[in-house]
Amino acid sequence: MKEYRTITKIAGPLVFVEKTEPVGYNELVNIALYDGTVKRGQVLDTSDDLVVVQVFETTAGIGRDSGVRFLGETIKMPVGKEMLGRILSGGGKPIDGGPDIVPEKRLDITGAAINPYARASPEEFIQTGISTIDGTNTLVRGQKLPIFSGAGLPHNNIALQIARQSKVLGSQEEFAVVFAAMGITKEEANHFMDDFERTGALERAVVFLNLADDPAVERIITPRLALTTAEYLAFELGMHVLVILTDMTNYCEALRQIGAAREEVPGRRGYPGYMYTDLAGIYERAGIIKGKKGSITQFPILTMPGDDITHPIPDLTGYITEGQIVVSRELHRKGIYPPVNVLPSLSRLMNLGIGEKHTREDHKKVSDQLYAAYAEGNDLRGLVAIVGKDALSERDRMFLEFADLFEDQFVRQGYEEDRSITDTLDIGWKLLSSLPVEQLVRIDRELIQKYHPQFRGAAKAAE
Amino acid sequence: MKENQKQGDKGVLKRIAGPVVAAVGVNAHMYDVVKVGHEELMGEVIKIQGEEIIIQVYEDTSGIRPGEPVENTGLSLAVELGPGLLTSIYDGIQRPLAVLVDKMGDFIERGVSAPGLDHAKKWNFEPLVREGDAVKPGSIIGQVQETNIVHRVLVPPNAEPATVRSIKSGSFTVDDVVCTLDNGTELTMMHKWPVRVPRPVTEKMNPDIPLITGQRILDGLFPIAKGGTAAIPGPFGSGKTVTQQQLAKWSDAEIVVYIGCGERGNEMTEVLTEFPELEDPKTGKPLMERTVLIANTSNMPVAAREASVYTGITIAEYFRDMGYDVSLMADSTSRWAEAMREISSRLEEMPGEEGYPAYLAARLSEFYERAGLVETLNGSSGSVSVIGAVSPPGGDFSEPVTQNTLRIVKVFWALDAKLSQRRHFPAINWLNSYSLYLESLNDWYDREVSPEWNVLRSWAMEVLQKEAELQEIVQLVGSDALPEAEQLTIEVARMIREIFLQQNAYDAVDTFCDMSKQYDMMKTIKAFSDLAYTAQAAGVTPQQILSTKAKNDLPQIKFIKDYKPELDRIMGEMEKEFNALRSSV
């Protein structure tokens, strides 16, 4: 393989190489430094006279005397069953002191799009034990459901609780967790690792760590390595894989950094115009394939800059993912855990995974009614601040109280508390029974007769 | 068609940077389809500068090197039009996804071509013209029972008028000649049409029949006409896709073309699994039998996403030319615009607003202008209604795609995140939305629903408008401080919202509501309102009126299929209650 010493320009993470033989787009590149260390990169732009290489680590130490080798293939990830229980760097190298991974296969990390025709429709209800998710924003297997959070909010604990408690009722299938950290602090990483170790989840996990002080550009490949691993575990070994990606905001920052270095025309707030397509290339790698046993369920976590849900990162994410779980600073300040604000939260695949076949026949309508009542009560809080409680009508006062009860009993639960779906729905009914029956316009009468505590009591008494 | 001189011309690749590549030495016209590299990836010429041509490639370009060959096919990007389109699901460049699964497995690899139609399948062709008949472009020469839909076989719009020399009857593939004209033209059941060229029509007419969708807020308050254009902008999670899917399911078009443009894979799968199971309320046949799906999900190549919208509308126009009413849903046109932006920025074009190319507005208007109620070349009437979803960043309607779309379309269904948060679905804001077809459709509603309907609609809009004003006062002083009559207005508005406007797409009955039920529901709310105001004028207090019981049963009407007896009962009770109230004063 030919080594070139024709670097003409180095700018940020980009290296420009001249006078090469034809080099393939997206090809892997090794750059050898004077001291013998080798840095990896990827071809971003190739033409007869100039090749632009994006280096995954820092460009520190690279000079015009460095040697460049083009490896003639795109980036591949060695994968194998042995990866379970291992901790790898953000670039995919083992960092737990263990041996190198013996690959059973080497897979392209970009990953091809799943043919929509080959997908199976996700519909298996995953019980996370958290009421605000199971009851009102139900997760199903094969879904991608991000957590939209803010700096200083307990999104990590929520993700851990989900990872720990998630189960499909009545099934004992093989599962695995793939955890990819991008630019999080060592402390946060430890928090995850300790919890994985404490609960024994580590044995079933593959961990990729790109920490805050690791090269930012490496973050571009970390989620792709993780998802390539996940696809192998799910679609070749038949496991049900839960992928946690944290923090996608750092990923997007790295994307912007490269765009700026390439002097591209920026889109909104300086993020590249292709960020939607790029993020889709990550988030869409979730789902179920017809005739294959495994599945990939994704939990990306992102911190919204300035808690702003219209910021390009949460905005583009929300347009790709199947809903979002929004963590609220206001609820957190009130001391409520998990501080999930159900109003802007959403699970698009909820209707596929609930109802008689999956959870319970009243699920959809109870959820709608809880939403409607809580939204109404929440609106009235603004009004009370201006006119005082006394100016409210009787009806309004009931809804106002409902909102408080909802936050206190439905939203609030313990970090270790694992509620069954029946418990969650029953809490919902208990709260709804604080409202007059005729206000429950979203629920049909038969369901009210069957599940409303008032009638249930009556039915029992009659027996 | 004239032979393109540039066919078969070969050159070499010079530069590769993502989906846009440059080549030299190829003689090409704009929008010629070329084969790129050793793997013969499909691409389209989008720029010519001197010796160099710039190509957008419909597949992933990883590993492609400078120096690899490029070959011009000399053809424009075209779709195959003929029997076999219905029930198909295509990617953005009309490759059938089912065939791709057979050819390359569960993931979309590259370098595989697949024709849009099944060329081996035989169809039963029944001629409708005889030897010696004169035919012209667009004439129907025969028909094929494709699904429950009759597929009419047309003389291609770019053929010359002629006389039929011979015509066959029987079972043929789409490649077999079924008809020969005296000028030597041989016709098959299929022809190709370039996607970027609108199919010609005799005349465009003004639409005057509504596209009935079974969605109360749409049919009742903001109707779209058959052949009209509508936009549904809204932030994520406000229900664009559900609304689009409801329209695809229930709108009374004869053919539905659904374009999933840069959207979610799992959502397309939902459509794929659901449509074959759902029944068309008119025919009782599976909805899939009248549907063509185009799915280019967000992670499929961006250039093919750009093409998907044109592929879809060309197929829609083709069915229109047979004399059908077609409705086309594009979800989402913002992703299409972003694909344009991405390609434009790779061409290093001077950007317009927010990085979108300066020709964004032109492309959008060209696209929507392909909708319409028309007199086809063969004199029949057909229509294409276009309903485009728009995904404005941050839900901000002032961004370029929303603004440029609103300048063209006649109907605006404004989705509102606030409404969806309180699970008011469909989350269409009744104050911001509008339909410019109202006037031209008035006659139809008078005739087909009731002469009263237009009055009822105006009344409902007025109450909702009034409520919005009153809410501002309530925000300041509380609802008890309102005058008695206005407290009633608030209650009536609440009933219109909760009973009429809210509709449950997931309830077996409520998902589709025909015009006569809509009329009955609105009439009953109006009746309550009339009773309430009369009673209030007679001295009954608003509290007494609000505590009447019969009206509380009204929301249940939505979920009952044979609702009439129940509605009559409620009406009767309501009158009784109000009689009692009035006599107690």
Side-chain angles (χ1 to χ4, degrees), chain A residues 22-27 44-49 72-74 110 112-122 136-137 142-144 148 231 235 262 264-268 273-274 276-277 280-281 284-290 292 309-310 314-316 318-324 342-349 351-352 364-365 367-368 371-372 375-376 379 382-383 386-387 390-393 395-396 438-445, chain B residues 13-19 60-67 89 96-101 104-109 234-241 261-270 272-273 295-300 302 305 335 338 341-342 345-346 348-349 351 354-355 390-395 418 420-425 474-481 494 498 502 504 506-507 549 552-556 559 566 569-570:
Chain A
V23 170
Y25 174 68
N26 260 349
E27 203 170 282
L44 281 189
D45 191 336
T46 168
S47 59
D48 289 344
D49 27 66
E73 60 166 23
T74 50
T110 335
I114 302 178
N115 186 325
Y117 192 81
R119 281 179 185 268
S121 189
T136 44
N137 294 289
Q143 186 172 8
K144 40 194 180 288
F148 285 8
E231 278 169 355
F235 301 132
R262 290 181 68 184
E264 291 169 341
V265 181
R268 268 208 313 153
Y274 50 79
Y276 177 82
T277 309
E284 274 291 332
R285 293 171 80 174
I288 310 174
I289 293 178
K290 274 184 218 161
K292 294 208 169 155
I309 199 166
T310 67
D315 193 53
L316 294 179
Y319 276 122
I320 305 166
T321 54
E322 282 131 359
Q324 66 280 338
V342 298
L343 295 179
S345 299
L346 171 74
S347 162
R348 290 170 188 271
L349 303 183
N351 291 309
L352 300 175
K364 164 83 183 147
K365 290 190 172 160
S367 164
D368 282 355
Y371 258 105
E376 184 153 5
D379 281 355
L383 181 57
I386 302 169
V387 298
D390 293 342
L392 292 187
S393 67
R395 180 177 178 280
D396 287 353
E438 67 269 14
Q439 294 296 345
L440 307 181
V441 289
R442 310 241 173 181
I443 312 181
D444 349 355
R445 264 182 241 139
Chain B
L13 275 177
K14 203 167 175 314
R15 178 180 174 198
I16 302 105
D60 180 34
T61 51
S62 290
I64 308 288
R65 295 167 185 224
I89 155 160
L97 289 175
V99 175
L100 295 189
V101 171
M104 56 196 184
D106 298 331
F107 292 86
I108 301 209
E109 308 291 342
F236 62 82
S238 56
K240 273 185 304 297
T241 302
C261 173
E263 285 290 310
R264 305 172 181 89
N266 276 336
E267 257 165 21
M268 285 319 297
T269 310
E270 206 182 319
L272 286 179
T273 39
N296 209 84
T297 57
S298 54
N299 57 341
M300 284 157 75
V302 65
R305 190 199 304 166
R335 304 297 159 234
E338 276 164 18
R341 171 166 74 182
E342 190 170 334
S345 84
R346 300 218 189 235
E348 290 166 2
E349 291 174 338
E354 292 199 19
V390 185
S391 319
K418 273 237 164 83
S420 67
Q421 287 186 8
R422 59 181 64 187
R423 295 303 186 258
H424 174 111
F425 286 121
V474 171
Q475 291 297 324
L476 293 174
V477 296
S479 58
D480 280 357
R494 194 177 65 80
E498 289 184 359
Q502 283 182 13
N504 188 341
Y506 297 97
D507 184 275
K549 291 270 182 289
N552 295 339
D553 291 335
L554 268 180
Q556 300 287 337
F559 310 118
E566 175 70 0
R569 185 193 66 78
I570 296 173

Side-chain angles (χ1 to χ4, degrees), chain B residues 26 38 48 60 100 198 354 368 399 500 585:
Chain B
V26 197
H38 295 303
I48 298 174
D60 180 34
L100 295 189
E354 292 199 19
Y368 282 103
E399 59 91 39
F500 190 82
V585 176

Side-chain angles (χ1 to χ4, degrees), chain A residues 330 334 374 377-385 400 403-404 407:
Chain A
E330 195 192 331
K334 284 186 188 170
Y374 178 57
N378 199 41
D379 281 355
L380 288 165
R381 285 177 176 162
L383 181 57
V384 169
L400 190 65
D404 292 336
E407 285 171 6

Side-chain angles (χ1 to χ4, degrees), chain B residues 445-464:
Chain B
Y445 282 99
D446 273 351
R447 204 169 59 235
E448 305 288 330
V449 186
S450 159
E452 259 181 272
W453 174 253
N454 293 314
V455 182
L456 274 177
R457 177 177 51 213
S458 314
W459 167 79
M461 283 308 294
E462 212 174 292
V463 174
L464 291 168

Side-chain angles (χ1 to χ4, degrees), chain A residues 28-138:
Chain A
L28 193 59
V29 184
N30 277 350
I31 301 180
L33 269 50
Y34 60 93
D35 60 358
T37 49
V38 175
K39 299 203 175 218
R40 289 192 306 164
Q42 188 181 11
V43 176
L44 281 189
D45 191 336
T46 168
S47 59
D48 289 344
D49 27 66
L50 186 71
V51 174
V52 182
V53 178
Q54 163 192 320
V55 181
F56 295 131
E57 293 142 80
T58 70
T59 40
I62 300 181
R64 298 186 58 178
D65 56 347
S66 304
V68 182
R69 283 171 194 272
F70 297 96
L71 303 188
E73 60 166 23
T74 50
I75 307 182
K76 302 267 193 311
M77 167 88 192
V79 290
K81 195 165 183 174
E82 279 176 31
M83 294 175 80
L84 286 173
R86 297 299 302 271
I87 302 172
L88 310 170
S89 73
K93 301 209 175 80
I95 49 168
D96 52 2
D100 278 354
I101 310 272
V102 183
E104 282 158 50
K105 259 196 169 171
R106 295 176 74 250
L107 299 175
D108 197 311
I109 68 158
T110 335
I114 302 178
N115 186 325
Y117 192 81
R119 281 179 185 268
S121 189
E123 55 174 29
E124 272 180 295
F125 164 65
I126 297 184
Q127 181 176 299
T128 64
I130 297 175
S131 292
T132 40
I133 296 176
D134 295 351
T136 44
N137 294 289
T138 316

